[in-house]
Amino acid sequence: MYKITTEARRTQRKPLCLRVWIHLCLIVLFYAFAAVQAYGQQPEQHHEPARDNTRLKVGLVLSGGGARGVAHVGVIEWMEKNHIPVDYIAGTSMGGLIGAIYAMGRSPEEMKKLLLSQNWDQLLSQGPGYDQLSFRRKDDKRTYQIDIEMGYRNGLSLPLGVSSAHYIGLLIDRQTLPYSNLSSFDELPIPYRCVATDLVSAKSLVLKDGSLASAMRATMSIPGVFPPVERDNAVLVDGGLLNNIPTDVIRSMQPDVVIAVDVGTKLADIQTINSLSGILGQSIIIMTLENDRRNLGLADLIIAPDLGELSFLDFSSIEKSFEIGYQAAESKANILKKFALGSEEWERYVAIRNSKVRIDVPTPRQIVIAGNDKQLQQSLGKKLSPDIGRPLNIDNLEANLNRITGQGKYESVGYRFLPGTENTGPNILEITATEKRHAPPVINMGVVIDGSDVNAINFTIGSRVTLYDMWRPGTEWRIDSRLGFENLFATEYFVPFGQTGFFVAPHAGYRRERQGVFSGRNRFAEYRADRYGTGIDLGYLTDRSELRIGYEFGKIQAVSLTGEPGLPDVEGIVSYAHVRWAFDGQDSQTIPRRGIRFIADGKWYLAAPNSAADFPQLEIKGSVFHPMSRWGSLFGALSAGTSFNRSAPAFQQFLIGGPFKYGAMERDELRVNHYALGTFGYLHKIYQLPSLVGSTVYAGAWIDQLATWSGGATLAGPQRLRSALSTGLILDTKLGPFSIVGSYGEEGRGQIYFSLGRFF
């Protein structure tokens, strides 16, 4: 106790200056330590224009919401018209996409024009449209019309999204091309951030540098709609999963005021959730609601456009969404106008922002194709080599990339300029092809149903498996199989000769089919015909057409299944040389809106059962569709066949009758040597199907005119003309065209039939 007191007294007797000096040292050390700690916790640093300390800095946050996010443009338009500056911008999903376009210096009018000019069905589609597919991929789609492509790369699997993101990727690549060499998103006219979700770490990731295009794709990659984006050793999807309203991100950029625009779907009432879809939708909203509420609490002002029940994938009401967003901002005018700038100050702000806008696209001095696909490097390199050293023709570039994707091997193909140095600039154009993650092999499926009686329904299901680069680059091995009313197993090995367009295609197959035999209107027998054959074709292939010349050798066995006892069986060798030319310029494999399709198939039979001599045959088929308005299209179809001056044996004759082959008759009712069938009609759109079911419902009507020449060795023999009128409903579904049609012909003959998988 004594020692303590003595020490205390000694301390008290220390000179005053010494004690003051010690206290000052402790204070300096304390603040130095605090500064070090604070330095480690500072918000991210970013480059920004010189701050104007006379006004508040505004940060704008745009939420995710799919198609509902179009309303963001209306909000921005109001802010621009009322001179409300935006100094920082952050967004998620569609908000990230709109935010990036605005941050690059696009005006609201330019943004509206851009969004209105897009084909949103195409942007959300599973790869290139039918008219942009290569001819062989068109044949796959037309033969097997189920609009779901499967693969067997890692076991039987589907694509990672209902959209391949190819088209929307090209849209983003085009918009971001002048900004290819950004080192930070702070270098944009408006400093920008977007948010994505890393599926591996289950964390939200803020994207602030690197490729602006890949950041935009990542933030809006809705799981199940678009495939994930691989970037920075992460697998990224839509940022809305964890942070749909990134006010915390904008706060880290240190604005003075945060304005949040919330276009998310609101909670439904008790009547709406009284269904499975309603419950699922409400559950998804609830899962993200707590994060949204917390982040909205970080905003100084919230603008919530009243978008009602607009779906996040419904882009049919874009102009209405612009107006709703504009009115939502107008409703907050009393508060927003507190941040408005005067005319001179606004002009100065716009001038600084515009000084950072980039519109010039570098001239490529070199083009590189990423990856190890030598065939792609050769073919694409050859097509793009004329662009080196010249101003880039983006339309021509994207057309070439669409053709590459249309060959079926790639999920998407994109482009960008690689970041350059101060001396070289970003002059290396890189093309990146993303392989399908579920294929090859590619599996196309199809189903065909037709009948005019529930007791006589003809059903066939089939598939085509396509393997690429088997034993040699550029080759394709096809395997077709069908079961049901028609049985088929066939294979073809396609070998191209480099990039010349020429090819050789050996093939073999087996087909079992049923054919009726009629006497007048009465079916008196039905035969089952088994056909075996092998052959080889030489040909020339373009994007829209194919020419084949070849030879086939096989056998046919036909036995009667029903009918009078003692009907003769047919058996024998079939061999023929053939030439076939096909052209397909239509825009859909199911129900086209425009375009021409034509096939001419000539054969010279060297041998056939019940034929004493060789004989030629020619059959042509074609159709043309022409839109008259956004609602209706005219169409015409023609098919004709002839055996020239010979009579063909029964199982080499042409069969007429049934759905879309003169529907007033029963299937295969006429068996003729010569015929001509012309059709002229009109389709009118009456309903839009849900996107998961299909696209359009049409009401249609058409007239058939049929001319036939029977037996005889010459076309000058007796002929018969028949006419029929058909009308019905045609649905363009994911399984193919589905039709319910009534046909009425001469002598009071008519049929009511349904058909799936075929329409002219």
mmCIF file of all heavy atoms in Angstrom, residues 461-497:
data_model
loop_
_atom_site.group_PDB
_atom_site.id
_atom_site.type_symbol
_atom_site.label_atom_id
_atom_site.label_comp_id
_atom_site.label_asym_id
_atom_site.label_seq_id
_atom_site.Cartn_x
_atom_site.Cartn_y
_atom_site.Cartn_z
ATOM 1 N N ILE A 461 -43.697 -42.189 -83.678
ATOM 2 C CA ILE A 461 -42.742 -41.375 -82.929
ATOM 3 C C ILE A 461 -41.342 -41.723 -83.407
ATOM 4 O O ILE A 461 -41.050 -42.891 -83.720
ATOM 5 C CB ILE A 461 -42.869 -41.596 -81.400
ATOM 6 C CG1 ILE A 461 -41.976 -40.610 -80.645
ATOM 7 C CG2 ILE A 461 -42.568 -43.041 -81.019
ATOM 8 C CD1 ILE A 461 -42.216 -40.592 -79.144
ATOM 9 N N GLY A 462 -40.488 -40.708 -83.526
ATOM 10 C CA GLY A 462 -39.158 -40.969 -84.063
ATOM 11 C C GLY A 462 -38.103 -40.038 -83.508
ATOM 12 O O GLY A 462 -38.402 -39.072 -82.797
ATOM 13 N N SER A 463 -36.872 -40.335 -83.841
ATOM 14 C CA SER A 463 -35.751 -39.514 -83.384
ATOM 15 C C SER A 463 -34.628 -39.570 -84.408
ATOM 16 O O SER A 463 -34.523 -40.522 -85.200
ATOM 17 C CB SER A 463 -35.232 -39.985 -82.023
ATOM 18 O OG SER A 463 -34.605 -41.252 -82.139
ATOM 19 N N ARG A 464 -33.813 -38.547 -84.385
ATOM 20 C CA ARG A 464 -32.582 -38.507 -85.182
ATOM 21 C C ARG A 464 -31.427 -38.160 -84.262
ATOM 22 O O ARG A 464 -31.456 -37.141 -83.565
ATOM 23 C CB ARG A 464 -32.686 -37.479 -86.307
ATOM 24 C CG ARG A 464 -31.345 -37.232 -87.027
ATOM 25 C CD ARG A 464 -31.527 -36.342 -88.241
ATOM 26 N NE ARG A 464 -32.218 -37.068 -89.308
ATOM 27 C CZ ARG A 464 -32.667 -36.488 -90.423
ATOM 28 N NH1 ARG A 464 -32.509 -35.185 -90.608
ATOM 29 N NH2 ARG A 464 -33.271 -37.202 -91.346
ATOM 30 N N VAL A 465 -30.420 -39.008 -84.250
ATOM 31 C CA VAL A 465 -29.198 -38.772 -83.481
ATOM 32 C C VAL A 465 -28.111 -38.348 -84.465
ATOM 33 O O VAL A 465 -27.861 -39.044 -85.460
ATOM 34 C CB VAL A 465 -28.765 -40.036 -82.708
ATOM 35 C CG1 VAL A 465 -27.485 -39.761 -81.927
ATOM 36 C CG2 VAL A 465 -29.878 -40.490 -81.774
ATOM 37 N N THR A 466 -27.478 -37.210 -84.182
ATOM 38 C CA THR A 466 -26.424 -36.698 -85.065
ATOM 39 C C THR A 466 -25.128 -36.565 -84.282
ATOM 40 O O THR A 466 -25.099 -35.905 -83.236
ATOM 41 C CB THR A 466 -26.811 -35.330 -85.651
ATOM 42 O OG1 THR A 466 -28.078 -35.429 -86.308
ATOM 43 C CG2 THR A 466 -25.765 -34.869 -86.650
ATOM 44 N N LEU A 467 -24.084 -37.207 -84.786
ATOM 45 C CA LEU A 467 -22.758 -37.112 -84.191
ATOM 46 C C LEU A 467 -21.860 -36.342 -85.149
ATOM 47 O O LEU A 467 -21.885 -36.578 -86.364
ATOM 48 C CB LEU A 467 -22.165 -38.493 -83.924
ATOM 49 C CG LEU A 467 -22.939 -39.392 -82.941
ATOM 50 C CD1 LEU A 467 -23.933 -40.272 -83.686
ATOM 51 C CD2 LEU A 467 -21.976 -40.264 -82.130
ATOM 52 N N TYR A 468 -21.081 -35.417 -84.610
ATOM 53 C CA TYR A 468 -20.207 -34.572 -85.422
ATOM 54 C C TYR A 468 -18.758 -35.054 -85.347
ATOM 55 O O TYR A 468 -18.313 -35.614 -84.339
ATOM 56 C CB TYR A 468 -20.273 -33.119 -84.948
ATOM 57 C CG TYR A 468 -21.645 -32.502 -85.037
ATOM 58 C CD1 TYR A 468 -22.339 -32.150 -83.882
ATOM 59 C CD2 TYR A 468 -22.249 -32.260 -86.263
ATOM 60 C CE1 TYR A 468 -23.593 -31.574 -83.944
ATOM 61 C CE2 TYR A 468 -23.500 -31.686 -86.344
ATOM 62 C CZ TYR A 468 -24.176 -31.345 -85.179
ATOM 63 O OH TYR A 468 -25.423 -30.778 -85.254
ATOM 64 N N ASP A 469 -18.022 -34.776 -86.432
ATOM 65 C CA ASP A 469 -16.574 -34.987 -86.475
ATOM 66 C C ASP A 469 -16.189 -36.423 -86.132
ATOM 67 O O ASP A 469 -15.225 -36.667 -85.403
ATOM 68 C CB ASP A 469 -15.860 -34.007 -85.527
ATOM 69 C CG ASP A 469 -16.190 -32.558 -85.842
ATOM 70 O OD1 ASP A 469 -16.370 -32.251 -87.027
ATOM 71 O OD2 ASP A 469 -16.270 -31.751 -84.904
ATOM 72 N N MET A 470 -16.939 -37.378 -86.665
ATOM 73 C CA MET A 470 -16.639 -38.782 -86.431
ATOM 74 C C MET A 470 -15.553 -39.236 -87.401
ATOM 75 O O MET A 470 -15.777 -39.313 -88.612
ATOM 76 C CB MET A 470 -17.897 -39.633 -86.606
ATOM 77 C CG MET A 470 -18.980 -39.338 -85.580
ATOM 78 S SD MET A 470 -18.474 -39.800 -83.902
ATOM 79 C CE MET A 470 -18.385 -41.569 -84.056
ATOM 80 N N TRP A 471 -14.375 -39.526 -86.863
ATOM 81 C CA TRP A 471 -13.217 -40.024 -87.600
ATOM 82 C C TRP A 471 -12.567 -38.965 -88.495
ATOM 83 O O TRP A 471 -11.444 -39.154 -88.939
ATOM 84 C CB TRP A 471 -13.564 -41.273 -88.425
ATOM 85 C CG TRP A 471 -14.130 -42.373 -87.599
ATOM 86 C CD1 TRP A 471 -13.483 -43.084 -86.637
ATOM 87 C CD2 TRP A 471 -15.465 -42.868 -87.636
ATOM 88 N NE1 TRP A 471 -14.325 -43.998 -86.058
ATOM 89 C CE2 TRP A 471 -15.552 -43.892 -86.663
ATOM 90 C CE3 TRP A 471 -16.591 -42.554 -88.390
ATOM 91 C CZ2 TRP A 471 -16.721 -44.601 -86.420
ATOM 92 C CZ3 TRP A 471 -17.760 -43.268 -88.146
ATOM 93 C CH2 TRP A 471 -17.808 -44.271 -87.176
ATOM 94 N N ARG A 472 -13.277 -37.861 -88.750
ATOM 95 C CA ARG A 472 -12.715 -36.830 -89.603
ATOM 96 C C ARG A 472 -13.454 -35.518 -89.344
ATOM 97 O O ARG A 472 -14.687 -35.519 -89.238
ATOM 98 C CB ARG A 472 -12.856 -37.238 -91.079
ATOM 99 C CG ARG A 472 -12.335 -36.205 -92.062
ATOM 100 C CD ARG A 472 -12.443 -36.729 -93.481
ATOM 101 N NE ARG A 472 -12.139 -35.674 -94.450
ATOM 102 C CZ ARG A 472 -12.153 -35.839 -95.765
ATOM 103 N NH1 ARG A 472 -12.435 -37.028 -96.272
ATOM 104 N NH2 ARG A 472 -11.876 -34.842 -96.575
ATOM 105 N N PRO A 473 -12.743 -34.390 -89.232
ATOM 106 C CA PRO A 473 -13.413 -33.106 -88.965
ATOM 107 C C PRO A 473 -14.422 -32.766 -90.065
ATOM 108 O O PRO A 473 -14.175 -32.975 -91.248
ATOM 109 C CB PRO A 473 -12.254 -32.101 -88.944
ATOM 110 C CG PRO A 473 -11.047 -32.899 -88.611
ATOM 111 C CD PRO A 473 -11.272 -34.243 -89.235
ATOM 112 N N GLY A 474 -15.567 -32.260 -89.641
ATOM 113 C CA GLY A 474 -16.601 -31.829 -90.571
ATOM 114 C C GLY A 474 -17.613 -32.890 -90.942
ATOM 115 O O GLY A 474 -18.631 -32.585 -91.557
ATOM 116 N N THR A 475 -17.353 -34.136 -90.565
ATOM 117 C CA THR A 475 -18.278 -35.208 -90.924
ATOM 118 C C THR A 475 -19.474 -35.235 -89.970
ATOM 119 O O THR A 475 -19.423 -34.694 -88.860
ATOM 120 C CB THR A 475 -17.575 -36.567 -90.892
ATOM 121 O OG1 THR A 475 -17.081 -36.808 -89.557
ATOM 122 C CG2 THR A 475 -16.413 -36.593 -91.865
ATOM 123 N N GLU A 476 -20.540 -35.892 -90.427
ATOM 124 C CA GLU A 476 -21.726 -36.098 -89.606
ATOM 125 C C GLU A 476 -22.216 -37.527 -89.791
ATOM 126 O O GLU A 476 -22.275 -38.029 -90.917
ATOM 127 C CB GLU A 476 -22.855 -35.135 -89.999
ATOM 128 C CG GLU A 476 -22.556 -33.673 -89.743
ATOM 129 C CD GLU A 476 -23.718 -32.780 -90.131
ATOM 130 O OE1 GLU A 476 -24.836 -33.318 -90.352
ATOM 131 O OE2 GLU A 476 -23.531 -31.555 -90.235
ATOM 132 N N TRP A 477 -22.565 -38.141 -88.690
ATOM 133 C CA TRP A 477 -23.155 -39.474 -88.740
ATOM 134 C C TRP A 477 -24.571 -39.369 -88.193
ATOM 135 O O TRP A 477 -24.774 -39.019 -87.038
ATOM 136 C CB TRP A 477 -22.319 -40.453 -87.918
ATOM 137 C CG TRP A 477 -22.830 -41.870 -87.973
ATOM 138 C CD1 TRP A 477 -23.693 -42.413 -88.886
ATOM 139 C CD2 TRP A 477 -22.505 -42.921 -87.062
ATOM 140 N NE1 TRP A 477 -23.923 -43.726 -88.624
ATOM 141 C CE2 TRP A 477 -23.213 -44.076 -87.505
ATOM 142 C CE3 TRP A 477 -21.695 -43.009 -85.938
ATOM 143 C CZ2 TRP A 477 -23.132 -45.289 -86.836
ATOM 144 C CZ3 TRP A 477 -21.605 -44.229 -85.282
ATOM 145 C CH2 TRP A 477 -22.302 -45.354 -85.723
ATOM 146 N N ARG A 478 -25.536 -39.654 -89.058
ATOM 147 C CA ARG A 478 -26.945 -39.606 -88.680
ATOM 148 C C ARG A 478 -27.475 -41.009 -88.435
ATOM 149 O O ARG A 478 -27.174 -41.941 -89.175
ATOM 150 C CB ARG A 478 -27.788 -38.992 -89.797
ATOM 151 C CG ARG A 478 -27.805 -37.496 -89.878
ATOM 152 C CD ARG A 478 -28.688 -37.100 -91.059
ATOM 153 N NE ARG A 478 -28.865 -35.663 -91.148
ATOM 154 C CZ ARG A 478 -29.493 -35.070 -92.152
ATOM 155 N NH1 ARG A 478 -29.991 -35.800 -93.142
ATOM 156 N NH2 ARG A 478 -29.627 -33.759 -92.167
ATOM 157 N N ILE A 479 -28.331 -41.111 -87.411
ATOM 158 C CA ILE A 479 -29.035 -42.362 -87.143
ATOM 159 C C ILE A 479 -30.500 -42.010 -86.923
ATOM 160 O O ILE A 479 -30.845 -41.314 -85.966
ATOM 161 C CB ILE A 479 -28.465 -43.082 -85.906
ATOM 162 C CG1 ILE A 479 -26.967 -43.335 -86.073
ATOM 163 C CG2 ILE A 479 -29.209 -44.380 -85.656
ATOM 164 C CD1 ILE A 479 -26.293 -43.846 -84.819
ATOM 165 N N ASP A 480 -31.368 -42.480 -87.816
ATOM 166 C CA ASP A 480 -32.805 -42.228 -87.731
ATOM 167 C C ASP A 480 -33.535 -43.477 -87.273
ATOM 168 O O ASP A 480 -33.213 -44.595 -87.720
ATOM 169 C CB ASP A 480 -33.358 -41.818 -89.099
ATOM 170 C CG ASP A 480 -32.941 -40.426 -89.508
ATOM 171 O OD1 ASP A 480 -33.280 -39.479 -88.791
ATOM 172 O OD2 ASP A 480 -32.261 -40.287 -90.550
ATOM 173 N N SER A 481 -34.533 -43.273 -86.421
ATOM 174 C CA SER A 481 -35.377 -44.396 -86.012
ATOM 175 C C SER A 481 -36.799 -43.892 -85.779
ATOM 176 O O SER A 481 -36.991 -42.790 -85.257
ATOM 177 C CB SER A 481 -34.834 -45.060 -84.740
ATOM 178 O OG SER A 481 -34.769 -44.122 -83.684
ATOM 179 N N ARG A 482 -37.784 -44.705 -86.201
ATOM 180 C CA ARG A 482 -39.196 -44.382 -86.001
ATOM 181 C C ARG A 482 -39.943 -45.660 -85.661
ATOM 182 O O ARG A 482 -39.631 -46.739 -86.195
ATOM 183 C CB ARG A 482 -39.815 -43.743 -87.242
ATOM 184 C CG ARG A 482 -39.189 -42.432 -87.645
ATOM 185 C CD ARG A 482 -39.779 -41.919 -88.949
ATOM 186 N NE ARG A 482 -38.851 -41.002 -89.600
ATOM 187 C CZ ARG A 482 -38.857 -40.694 -90.882
ATOM 188 N NH1 ARG A 482 -39.749 -41.248 -91.675
ATOM 189 N NH2 ARG A 482 -37.982 -39.859 -91.388
ATOM 190 N N LEU A 483 -40.943 -45.512 -84.801
ATOM 191 C CA LEU A 483 -41.769 -46.643 -84.396
ATOM 192 C C LEU A 483 -43.227 -46.228 -84.441
ATOM 193 O O LEU A 483 -43.570 -45.094 -84.116
ATOM 194 C CB LEU A 483 -41.407 -47.103 -82.979
ATOM 195 C CG LEU A 483 -40.021 -47.713 -82.776
ATOM 196 C CD1 LEU A 483 -39.771 -47.951 -81.294
ATOM 197 C CD2 LEU A 483 -39.892 -49.021 -83.555
ATOM 198 N N GLY A 484 -44.084 -47.173 -84.829
ATOM 199 C CA GLY A 484 -45.510 -46.889 -84.856
ATOM 200 C C GLY A 484 -46.120 -47.297 -86.179
ATOM 201 O O GLY A 484 -45.861 -48.393 -86.696
ATOM 202 N N PHE A 485 -46.944 -46.412 -86.737
ATOM 203 C CA PHE A 485 -47.562 -46.690 -88.030
ATOM 204 C C PHE A 485 -46.494 -46.908 -89.103
ATOM 205 O O PHE A 485 -46.637 -47.737 -89.989
ATOM 206 C CB PHE A 485 -48.470 -45.522 -88.414
ATOM 207 C CG PHE A 485 -49.180 -45.718 -89.714
ATOM 208 C CD1 PHE A 485 -50.238 -46.616 -89.821
ATOM 209 C CD2 PHE A 485 -48.794 -45.013 -90.837
ATOM 210 C CE1 PHE A 485 -50.885 -46.807 -91.032
ATOM 211 C CE2 PHE A 485 -49.438 -45.193 -92.051
ATOM 212 C CZ PHE A 485 -50.487 -46.098 -92.147
ATOM 213 N N GLU A 486 -45.410 -46.155 -89.005
ATOM 214 C CA GLU A 486 -44.242 -46.357 -89.873
ATOM 215 C C GLU A 486 -43.054 -46.735 -89.007
ATOM 216 O O GLU A 486 -42.783 -46.070 -88.001
ATOM 217 C CB GLU A 486 -43.925 -45.082 -90.664
ATOM 218 C CG GLU A 486 -42.676 -45.215 -91.515
ATOM 219 C CD GLU A 486 -42.189 -43.874 -92.052
ATOM 220 O OE1 GLU A 486 -42.492 -42.837 -91.441
ATOM 221 O OE2 GLU A 486 -41.482 -43.879 -93.071
ATOM 222 N N ASN A 487 -42.364 -47.794 -89.374
ATOM 223 C CA ASN A 487 -41.140 -48.192 -88.687
ATOM 224 C C ASN A 487 -39.947 -47.902 -89.595
ATOM 225 O O ASN A 487 -39.983 -48.171 -90.794
ATOM 226 C CB ASN A 487 -41.150 -49.681 -88.330
ATOM 227 C CG ASN A 487 -42.205 -50.004 -87.284
ATOM 228 O OD1 ASN A 487 -42.639 -49.128 -86.542
ATOM 229 N ND2 ASN A 487 -42.645 -51.254 -87.240
ATOM 230 N N LEU A 488 -38.901 -47.368 -88.980
ATOM 231 C CA LEU A 488 -37.734 -46.984 -89.784
ATOM 232 C C LEU A 488 -36.473 -47.113 -88.956
ATOM 233 O O LEU A 488 -36.459 -46.769 -87.770
ATOM 234 C CB LEU A 488 -37.883 -45.530 -90.261
ATOM 235 C CG LEU A 488 -36.647 -44.889 -90.913
ATOM 236 C CD1 LEU A 488 -36.459 -45.425 -92.329
ATOM 237 C CD2 LEU A 488 -36.760 -43.370 -90.938
ATOM 238 N N PHE A 489 -35.433 -47.620 -89.601
ATOM 239 C CA PHE A 489 -34.087 -47.516 -89.052
ATOM 240 C C PHE A 489 -33.171 -47.217 -90.226
ATOM 241 O O PHE A 489 -33.091 -47.993 -91.182
ATOM 242 C CB PHE A 489 -33.631 -48.783 -88.336
ATOM 243 C CG PHE A 489 -32.261 -48.648 -87.739
ATOM 244 C CD1 PHE A 489 -32.080 -48.032 -86.506
ATOM 245 C CD2 PHE A 489 -31.132 -49.098 -88.420
ATOM 246 C CE1 PHE A 489 -30.820 -47.875 -85.958
ATOM 247 C CE2 PHE A 489 -29.853 -48.944 -87.882
ATOM 248 C CZ PHE A 489 -29.710 -48.329 -86.641
ATOM 249 N N ALA A 490 -32.490 -46.051 -90.161
ATOM 250 C CA ALA A 490 -31.642 -45.647 -91.281
ATOM 251 C C ALA A 490 -30.426 -44.910 -90.752
ATOM 252 O O ALA A 490 -30.451 -44.324 -89.661
ATOM 253 C CB ALA A 490 -32.423 -44.746 -92.242
ATOM 254 N N THR A 491 -29.371 -44.939 -91.541
ATOM 255 C CA THR A 491 -28.146 -44.257 -91.144
ATOM 256 C C THR A 491 -27.465 -43.669 -92.376
ATOM 257 O O THR A 491 -27.612 -44.195 -93.490
ATOM 258 C CB THR A 491 -27.195 -45.221 -90.400
ATOM 259 O OG1 THR A 491 -26.048 -44.510 -89.928
ATOM 260 C CG2 THR A 491 -26.740 -46.350 -91.313
ATOM 261 N N GLU A 492 -26.740 -42.567 -92.157
ATOM 262 C CA GLU A 492 -26.007 -41.910 -93.237
ATOM 263 C C GLU A 492 -24.721 -41.331 -92.666
ATOM 264 O O GLU A 492 -24.718 -40.760 -91.572
ATOM 265 C CB GLU A 492 -26.837 -40.782 -93.859
ATOM 266 C CG GLU A 492 -26.095 -40.025 -94.953
ATOM 267 C CD GLU A 492 -26.842 -38.774 -95.407
ATOM 268 O OE1 GLU A 492 -26.757 -37.741 -94.716
ATOM 269 O OE2 GLU A 492 -27.508 -38.852 -96.454
ATOM 270 N N TYR A 493 -23.664 -41.465 -93.440
ATOM 271 C CA TYR A 493 -22.379 -40.878 -93.054
ATOM 272 C C TYR A 493 -22.037 -39.798 -94.076
ATOM 273 O O TYR A 493 -21.802 -40.088 -95.255
ATOM 274 C CB TYR A 493 -21.290 -41.943 -92.995
ATOM 275 C CG TYR A 493 -19.954 -41.436 -92.496
ATOM 276 C CD1 TYR A 493 -19.841 -40.848 -91.240
ATOM 277 C CD2 TYR A 493 -18.807 -41.557 -93.271
ATOM 278 C CE1 TYR A 493 -18.621 -40.391 -90.774
ATOM 279 C CE2 TYR A 493 -17.579 -41.104 -92.819
ATOM 280 C CZ TYR A 493 -17.491 -40.514 -91.561
ATOM 281 O OH TYR A 493 -16.280 -40.052 -91.104
ATOM 282 N N PHE A 494 -22.023 -38.559 -93.632
ATOM 283 C CA PHE A 494 -21.846 -37.393 -94.491
ATOM 284 C C PHE A 494 -20.393 -36.928 -94.411
ATOM 285 O O PHE A 494 -19.892 -36.619 -93.324
ATOM 286 C CB PHE A 494 -22.792 -36.287 -94.027
ATOM 287 C CG PHE A 494 -22.617 -34.964 -94.714
ATOM 288 C CD1 PHE A 494 -23.254 -34.694 -95.909
ATOM 289 C CD2 PHE A 494 -21.820 -33.969 -94.148
ATOM 290 C CE1 PHE A 494 -23.105 -33.464 -96.534
ATOM 291 C CE2 PHE A 494 -21.656 -32.745 -94.766
ATOM 292 C CZ PHE A 494 -22.304 -32.491 -95.967
ATOM 293 N N VAL A 495 -19.718 -36.886 -95.563
ATOM 294 C CA VAL A 495 -18.304 -36.508 -95.608
ATOM 295 C C VAL A 495 -18.131 -35.332 -96.577
ATOM 296 O O VAL A 495 -18.248 -35.510 -97.794
ATOM 297 C CB VAL A 495 -17.414 -37.679 -96.052
ATOM 298 C CG1 VAL A 495 -15.939 -37.276 -96.009
ATOM 299 C CG2 VAL A 495 -17.659 -38.905 -95.179
ATOM 300 N N PRO A 496 -17.865 -34.129 -96.074
ATOM 301 C CA PRO A 496 -17.651 -32.990 -96.972
ATOM 302 C C PRO A 496 -16.232 -32.982 -97.523
ATOM 303 O O PRO A 496 -15.307 -33.497 -96.904
ATOM 304 C CB PRO A 496 -17.889 -31.783 -96.059
ATOM 305 C CG PRO A 496 -17.473 -32.263 -94.701
ATOM 306 C CD PRO A 496 -17.815 -33.734 -94.648
ATOM 307 N N PHE A 497 -16.061 -32.382 -98.696
ATOM 308 C CA PHE A 497 -14.740 -32.196 -99.277
ATOM 309 C C PHE A 497 -14.261 -30.789 -98.934
ATOM 310 O O PHE A 497 -14.423 -29.843 -99.716
ATOM 311 C CB PHE A 497 -14.783 -32.400 -100.793
ATOM 312 C CG PHE A 497 -15.181 -33.792 -101.212
ATOM 313 C CD1 PHE A 497 -16.138 -33.997 -102.199
ATOM 314 C CD2 PHE A 497 -14.599 -34.900 -100.627
ATOM 315 C CE1 PHE A 497 -16.504 -35.276 -102.591
ATOM 316 C CE2 PHE A 497 -14.957 -36.181 -101.012
ATOM 317 C CZ PHE A 497 -15.914 -36.374 -101.986
#
